[in-house]
Amino acid sequence: MTEILTQVETTRQAESTSTTTRPLRSRLRPHPADVAAVVFYVGLAAFVLARQWKHLGTGYLVRSGQDQTMWEWFFAVAARSLVHLENPLSSDLQNYPLGVNLMGNTAMFGISIPLAPVTLLFGPNVTFTLALTLGLSGTAIAWYWVFSRHVVSSRLAAAVGGGLCGFAPALISHTNGHPNFVALFLLPFIALAVIRLGSGARPVRDGIALGLLIAYQIFLGEEPLLIYALAFAVFGAAYAVSRPRAAFAAAKRSIKGFAIAGGLALAIAAVPLWWQFFGPDSYRAIEHGPVGNDTEAFTSFPTSSLAGEPGSAEFSMNATEENAYFGWPLLILLGLSALWLWRMPLARAAAATVAVMGVLSLGTSLTIGGWDTGIPLPWKLISHLPLLESVLESRFAMGCLPAAALLLALGTDRALASAREGQRTTTLLWVGWLAVALLPLAPTPLAVVQRDTAPSFFADGTWREYVTDGSVVTVPLPSPENARMLRWQTEQDLAFPIAGGYFVGPAGSEDRGKYGPDDRPTALLLASAQSSGQVPAIDEATKAQALTDLTFWNADVLVLPHTQNDRVLRETVQQLVGAPAKPVDGVWVWDVRALT
């Protein structure tokens, strides 16, 4: 990558020279354009999450499903582990007594540990909102910094590229409940460090830097790292086609640096990764089924945008997985940009990356407007490979973002240069179409609702009269569909464990990954009673199984809060334990300590 390496080295030398010649006061003074970019990105992130910030502690991102509750629980448990000097990689506070492998659940220790003081002082809701805000703005700022220092001469062009990377529809969608797909601010520096290794100038220093960045990204999110690594590999391969000799030489020079980076990253993350893949409660790959993007998802507009509305993203898996939704004006602009800039190797590589990652995101077969054509696609050939088999293929569309942003940054830079050369028509056409492409995608504030308050039984601490050294079992048990018990537990400072929960863990004889616990018969019985609205037939064998399950959970108390078909559930539990429920502070309670 001669062009990139030369640019990086020239910039590094220029920075070094200017540092030694400029007075300290001048060096510390930021460029006004940089300040403006940072203020804009932070302000836009705060705008997107304005309703959540307005209702801290009571607000809930309505499109997050149960994900916000889960992430707040992760942040709370991480903070608790620091205070109590416990192993942060695992917890039995849910899915008691088996517990949860937190390293296998993307608990984001790179955020939850540094922000633990915030969690302890203000609560996990504040940490969750802060992580999303810093994730959006930080990702945009990071890409702006790399673009402005190493790719384009215009800071405005860099700001366009950084804005797309940080506030693309996919990131806004994931802001509803997936901070690990929002806090992507290390990825541009990882890419830059890889490019620097190709120069061979400072293999030890650059290798150490890359190793530290990779290790930290592992604790922020492994799946984004995998997706963007694949995208960068595609970009590098496409660029190498234009400069094969230079690419081969750069690859040869980078061997030492890569060895240092890999060794350092492995040394730092070895124990957590072992715990994730081989430790307690670890699991094999999780199966999602076919979840590729529909082709119309690329031309449509996202829900939370100026051009979007409820139902506009009809081809997404759910509200947090609008991974494509570039909109047809932006797709047209990207295509025209690739043609206009085709002589530039960077532009050709970027266009190839958008195409390849976009095709991979379509899944195993081509789907158009909801119609599966049956035409096989490349993802079918590699979907079974280790690590890749657990990825939601629609998320590969996120790998298009840096390449698309690079095309926009290069195009804007060239358009502005055309104005300086007197070709104002070109500049006006570019700026006009850029506005047409990006304004419809401008994000709108995410929808927030008031979360329900916990029953007095939990909120007032009445539970303490019923819990000794066992667990609380709610009826039905907490699940990915209803995880409110995790929030009630968190509000009580995680003072008691619960059976069931919302996490990813092993299930079945092969320990395949599953959302939620490996359900025991009584848990399935209660879930069936709630969904059917009918009391199931209960015989002596069913009662014996219930006692076995309660003993397994080491249950101290069964708690039935107000829920759908709660009368049916009350009658079911009453038959299972052979005793009527007791109404206590807004819930129905069965003290089962004598049984277990």
Side-chain angles (χ1 to χ4, degrees), residues 92-128:
D92 63 357
L93 287 169
Q94 62 169 310
N95 194 36
Y96 189 83
L98 297 177
V100 178
N101 187 322
L102 293 175
M103 190 64 195
N105 275 266
T106 320
M108 284 190 81
F109 298 115
I111 290 288
S112 61
I113 299 298
L115 293 184
V118 176
T119 304
L120 295 170
L121 289 173
F122 305 106
N125 179 258
V126 175
T127 305
F128 175 77

Short mmCIF file of all heavy atoms in Angstrom, two decimals, residues 92-128:
data_model
loop_
_atom_site.label_atom_id
_atom_site.label_comp_id
_atom_site.label_asym_id
_atom_site.label_seq_id
_atom_site.Cartn_x
_atom_site.Cartn_y
_atom_site.Cartn_z
N ASP A 92 -22.98 -15.93 39.08
CA ASP A 92 -24.14 -16.81 39.27
C ASP A 92 -25.34 -16.04 39.79
O ASP A 92 -26.28 -16.62 40.32
CB ASP A 92 -23.79 -17.96 40.23
CG ASP A 92 -23.44 -17.48 41.64
OD1 ASP A 92 -23.41 -16.25 41.87
OD2 ASP A 92 -23.19 -18.33 42.51
N LEU A 93 -25.33 -14.72 39.61
CA LEU A 93 -26.45 -13.90 40.07
C LEU A 93 -27.68 -14.07 39.19
O LEU A 93 -28.78 -13.73 39.60
CB LEU A 93 -26.03 -12.43 40.14
CG LEU A 93 -25.09 -12.12 41.31
CD1 LEU A 93 -24.49 -10.73 41.17
CD2 LEU A 93 -25.83 -12.25 42.64
N GLN A 94 -27.50 -14.56 37.98
CA GLN A 94 -28.63 -15.06 37.20
C GLN A 94 -28.27 -16.45 36.70
O GLN A 94 -27.12 -16.88 36.78
CB GLN A 94 -29.03 -14.14 36.05
CG GLN A 94 -27.99 -13.91 34.97
CD GLN A 94 -28.58 -13.21 33.74
OE1 GLN A 94 -29.60 -13.61 33.20
NE2 GLN A 94 -27.91 -12.14 33.30
N ASN A 95 -29.27 -17.16 36.23
CA ASN A 95 -29.11 -18.57 35.87
C ASN A 95 -28.53 -19.37 37.04
O ASN A 95 -27.71 -20.26 36.86
CB ASN A 95 -28.20 -18.72 34.65
CG ASN A 95 -28.27 -20.10 34.04
OD1 ASN A 95 -29.33 -20.73 34.01
ND2 ASN A 95 -27.15 -20.59 33.55
N TYR A 96 -28.98 -19.02 38.23
CA TYR A 96 -28.50 -19.71 39.43
C TYR A 96 -28.97 -21.17 39.42
O TYR A 96 -30.10 -21.45 39.02
CB TYR A 96 -29.05 -18.98 40.66
CG TYR A 96 -28.48 -19.45 41.97
CD1 TYR A 96 -27.27 -18.97 42.43
CD2 TYR A 96 -29.16 -20.39 42.75
CE1 TYR A 96 -26.73 -19.40 43.63
CE2 TYR A 96 -28.63 -20.83 43.95
CZ TYR A 96 -27.42 -20.33 44.38
OH TYR A 96 -26.89 -20.76 45.57
N PRO A 97 -28.13 -22.13 39.80
CA PRO A 97 -26.78 -21.97 40.34
C PRO A 97 -25.66 -22.11 39.31
O PRO A 97 -24.49 -22.01 39.65
CB PRO A 97 -26.71 -23.13 41.34
CG PRO A 97 -27.49 -24.22 40.66
CD PRO A 97 -28.62 -23.52 39.95
N LEU A 98 -26.02 -22.38 38.03
CA LEU A 98 -25.00 -22.63 37.02
C LEU A 98 -24.20 -21.37 36.71
O LEU A 98 -22.98 -21.41 36.53
CB LEU A 98 -25.65 -23.16 35.74
CG LEU A 98 -26.36 -24.51 35.87
CD1 LEU A 98 -27.02 -24.89 34.54
CD2 LEU A 98 -25.39 -25.59 36.33
N GLY A 99 -24.90 -20.24 36.62
CA GLY A 99 -24.21 -18.98 36.35
C GLY A 99 -24.10 -18.65 34.88
O GLY A 99 -24.63 -19.36 34.01
N VAL A 100 -23.37 -17.58 34.60
CA VAL A 100 -23.24 -17.03 33.26
C VAL A 100 -21.77 -16.75 32.97
O VAL A 100 -21.06 -16.17 33.80
CB VAL A 100 -24.05 -15.72 33.11
CG1 VAL A 100 -23.87 -15.13 31.72
CG2 VAL A 100 -25.52 -15.96 33.41
N ASN A 101 -21.32 -17.16 31.81
CA ASN A 101 -19.98 -16.83 31.34
C ASN A 101 -20.04 -15.45 30.72
O ASN A 101 -20.48 -15.28 29.57
CB ASN A 101 -19.51 -17.88 30.32
CG ASN A 101 -18.06 -17.70 29.92
OD1 ASN A 101 -17.58 -16.58 29.76
ND2 ASN A 101 -17.36 -18.81 29.72
N LEU A 102 -19.61 -14.44 31.46
CA LEU A 102 -19.76 -13.06 31.01
C LEU A 102 -18.83 -12.72 29.85
O LEU A 102 -19.15 -11.88 29.02
CB LEU A 102 -19.53 -12.10 32.17
CG LEU A 102 -20.57 -12.18 33.28
CD1 LEU A 102 -20.19 -11.28 34.45
CD2 LEU A 102 -21.94 -11.79 32.75
N MET A 103 -17.69 -13.39 29.77
CA MET A 103 -16.79 -13.15 28.64
C MET A 103 -17.44 -13.66 27.36
O MET A 103 -17.19 -13.12 26.28
CB MET A 103 -15.45 -13.84 28.88
CG MET A 103 -14.38 -13.48 27.88
SD MET A 103 -13.93 -11.73 27.95
CE MET A 103 -13.04 -11.58 26.38
N GLY A 104 -18.27 -14.67 27.47
CA GLY A 104 -18.99 -15.19 26.31
C GLY A 104 -20.27 -14.44 26.02
O GLY A 104 -21.03 -14.84 25.14
N ASN A 105 -20.50 -13.35 26.74
CA ASN A 105 -21.72 -12.56 26.55
C ASN A 105 -21.43 -11.12 26.18
O ASN A 105 -22.28 -10.25 26.33
CB ASN A 105 -22.57 -12.60 27.82
CG ASN A 105 -23.46 -13.81 27.89
OD1 ASN A 105 -24.61 -13.78 27.49
ND2 ASN A 105 -22.91 -14.91 28.39
N THR A 106 -20.21 -10.84 25.72
CA THR A 106 -19.84 -9.48 25.30
C THR A 106 -20.20 -8.46 26.36
O THR A 106 -20.92 -7.51 26.11
CB THR A 106 -20.51 -9.10 23.97
OG1 THR A 106 -20.50 -10.21 23.09
CG2 THR A 106 -19.77 -7.95 23.29
N ALA A 107 -19.70 -8.69 27.56
CA ALA A 107 -20.03 -7.80 28.67
C ALA A 107 -19.28 -6.47 28.60
O ALA A 107 -19.45 -5.62 29.48
CB ALA A 107 -19.72 -8.49 30.00
N MET A 108 -18.45 -6.27 27.60
CA MET A 108 -17.77 -5.00 27.35
C MET A 108 -16.97 -4.51 28.55
O MET A 108 -17.19 -3.42 29.08
CB MET A 108 -18.77 -3.91 26.93
CG MET A 108 -19.26 -4.03 25.51
SD MET A 108 -20.19 -2.58 24.98
CE MET A 108 -18.86 -1.45 24.59
N PHE A 109 -16.02 -5.33 29.00
CA PHE A 109 -15.20 -4.94 30.13
C PHE A 109 -14.39 -3.68 29.84
O PHE A 109 -13.99 -2.97 30.76
CB PHE A 109 -14.27 -6.09 30.53
CG PHE A 109 -15.01 -7.33 30.98
CD1 PHE A 109 -14.94 -8.51 30.25
CD2 PHE A 109 -15.79 -7.30 32.12
CE1 PHE A 109 -15.62 -9.63 30.66
CE2 PHE A 109 -16.48 -8.42 32.53
CZ PHE A 109 -16.40 -9.59 31.80
N GLY A 110 -14.14 -3.42 28.56
CA GLY A 110 -13.42 -2.20 28.19
C GLY A 110 -14.20 -0.94 28.49
O GLY A 110 -13.64 0.15 28.54
N ILE A 111 -15.51 -1.07 28.69
CA ILE A 111 -16.36 0.05 29.09
C ILE A 111 -16.82 -0.11 30.53
O ILE A 111 -16.76 0.84 31.33
CB ILE A 111 -17.60 0.15 28.16
CG1 ILE A 111 -17.18 0.61 26.77
CG2 ILE A 111 -18.63 1.11 28.74
CD1 ILE A 111 -16.78 2.05 26.67
N SER A 112 -17.28 -1.32 30.88
CA SER A 112 -17.90 -1.51 32.19
C SER A 112 -16.91 -1.34 33.34
O SER A 112 -17.29 -0.82 34.40
CB SER A 112 -18.52 -2.91 32.26
OG SER A 112 -17.56 -3.93 32.08
N ILE A 113 -15.65 -1.74 33.15
CA ILE A 113 -14.66 -1.59 34.22
C ILE A 113 -14.24 -0.13 34.40
O ILE A 113 -14.28 0.40 35.51
CB ILE A 113 -13.43 -2.50 33.97
CG1 ILE A 113 -13.86 -3.97 33.95
CG2 ILE A 113 -12.37 -2.26 35.03
CD1 ILE A 113 -14.46 -4.47 35.23
N PRO A 114 -13.82 0.58 33.32
CA PRO A 114 -13.45 1.99 33.51
C PRO A 114 -14.60 2.85 34.02
O PRO A 114 -14.37 3.81 34.77
CB PRO A 114 -13.03 2.44 32.10
CG PRO A 114 -12.64 1.19 31.40
CD PRO A 114 -13.55 0.13 31.94
N LEU A 115 -15.84 2.52 33.63
CA LEU A 115 -16.98 3.33 34.06
C LEU A 115 -17.64 2.78 35.32
O LEU A 115 -18.73 3.21 35.69
CB LEU A 115 -18.02 3.41 32.94
CG LEU A 115 -17.60 4.20 31.69
CD1 LEU A 115 -18.77 4.30 30.71
CD2 LEU A 115 -17.11 5.60 32.05
N ALA A 116 -16.99 1.84 35.99
CA ALA A 116 -17.55 1.30 37.23
C ALA A 116 -17.84 2.38 38.28
O ALA A 116 -18.89 2.31 38.95
CB ALA A 116 -16.62 0.23 37.80
N PRO A 117 -16.97 3.39 38.45
CA PRO A 117 -17.33 4.45 39.41
C PRO A 117 -18.63 5.17 39.05
O PRO A 117 -19.41 5.53 39.95
CB PRO A 117 -16.13 5.41 39.32
CG PRO A 117 -14.99 4.54 38.87
CD PRO A 117 -15.60 3.56 37.93
N VAL A 118 -18.88 5.36 37.76
CA VAL A 118 -20.14 5.97 37.34
C VAL A 118 -21.31 5.08 37.71
O VAL A 118 -22.34 5.53 38.22
CB VAL A 118 -20.13 6.24 35.82
CG1 VAL A 118 -21.48 6.78 35.35
CG2 VAL A 118 -19.01 7.20 35.44
N THR A 119 -21.15 3.77 37.48
CA THR A 119 -22.21 2.82 37.82
C THR A 119 -22.50 2.83 39.31
O THR A 119 -23.67 2.84 39.73
CB THR A 119 -21.81 1.40 37.38
OG1 THR A 119 -21.50 1.41 35.98
CG2 THR A 119 -22.93 0.42 37.62
N LEU A 120 -21.46 2.83 40.12
CA LEU A 120 -21.62 2.78 41.57
C LEU A 120 -22.24 4.06 42.11
O LEU A 120 -23.03 4.04 43.06
CB LEU A 120 -20.27 2.53 42.24
CG LEU A 120 -19.64 1.16 41.93
CD1 LEU A 120 -18.20 1.11 42.44
CD2 LEU A 120 -20.46 0.04 42.55
N LEU A 121 -21.90 5.19 41.49
CA LEU A 121 -22.40 6.47 42.00
C LEU A 121 -23.78 6.82 41.47
O LEU A 121 -24.63 7.33 42.20
CB LEU A 121 -21.42 7.59 41.63
CG LEU A 121 -20.08 7.60 42.38
CD1 LEU A 121 -19.15 8.66 41.78
CD2 LEU A 121 -20.29 7.88 43.87
N PHE A 122 -24.04 6.52 40.20
CA PHE A 122 -25.26 7.00 39.57
C PHE A 122 -26.18 5.90 39.05
O PHE A 122 -27.30 6.17 38.65
CB PHE A 122 -24.91 7.94 38.41
CG PHE A 122 -24.03 9.09 38.82
CD1 PHE A 122 -22.69 9.12 38.47
CD2 PHE A 122 -24.55 10.15 39.57
CE1 PHE A 122 -21.87 10.17 38.84
CE2 PHE A 122 -23.73 11.21 39.95
CZ PHE A 122 -22.40 11.22 39.58
N GLY A 123 -25.67 4.67 39.00
CA GLY A 123 -26.50 3.58 38.54
C GLY A 123 -26.16 3.14 37.12
O GLY A 123 -25.62 3.91 36.33
N PRO A 124 -26.49 1.89 36.79
CA PRO A 124 -26.15 1.36 35.47
C PRO A 124 -26.89 2.02 34.32
O PRO A 124 -26.44 1.98 33.18
CB PRO A 124 -26.51 -0.12 35.58
CG PRO A 124 -27.52 -0.20 36.67
CD PRO A 124 -27.15 0.87 37.64
N ASN A 125 -28.03 2.63 34.59
CA ASN A 125 -28.76 3.32 33.53
C ASN A 125 -27.95 4.49 32.99
O ASN A 125 -27.92 4.73 31.78
CB ASN A 125 -30.11 3.81 34.05
CG ASN A 125 -30.91 4.54 33.00
OD1 ASN A 125 -30.97 5.76 32.99
ND2 ASN A 125 -31.52 3.80 32.09
N VAL A 126 -27.26 5.20 33.88
CA VAL A 126 -26.41 6.31 33.46
C VAL A 126 -25.21 5.78 32.67
O VAL A 126 -24.83 6.35 31.65
CB VAL A 126 -25.95 7.13 34.67
CG1 VAL A 126 -24.97 8.22 34.25
CG2 VAL A 126 -27.15 7.74 35.39
N THR A 127 -24.62 4.69 33.14
CA THR A 127 -23.48 4.09 32.43
C THR A 127 -23.89 3.66 31.03
O THR A 127 -23.15 3.88 30.06
CB THR A 127 -22.94 2.89 33.22
OG1 THR A 127 -22.62 3.28 34.54
CG2 THR A 127 -21.71 2.31 32.54
N PHE A 128 -25.05 3.03 30.92
CA PHE A 128 -25.55 2.57 29.63
C PHE A 128 -25.72 3.76 28.67
O PHE A 128 -25.26 3.72 27.52
CB PHE A 128 -26.88 1.86 29.84
CG PHE A 128 -27.58 1.43 28.59
CD1 PHE A 128 -27.16 0.32 27.88
CD2 PHE A 128 -28.68 2.13 28.10
CE1 PHE A 128 -27.82 -0.09 26.73
CE2 PHE A 128 -29.34 1.74 26.96
CZ PHE A 128 -28.90 0.63 26.26
#
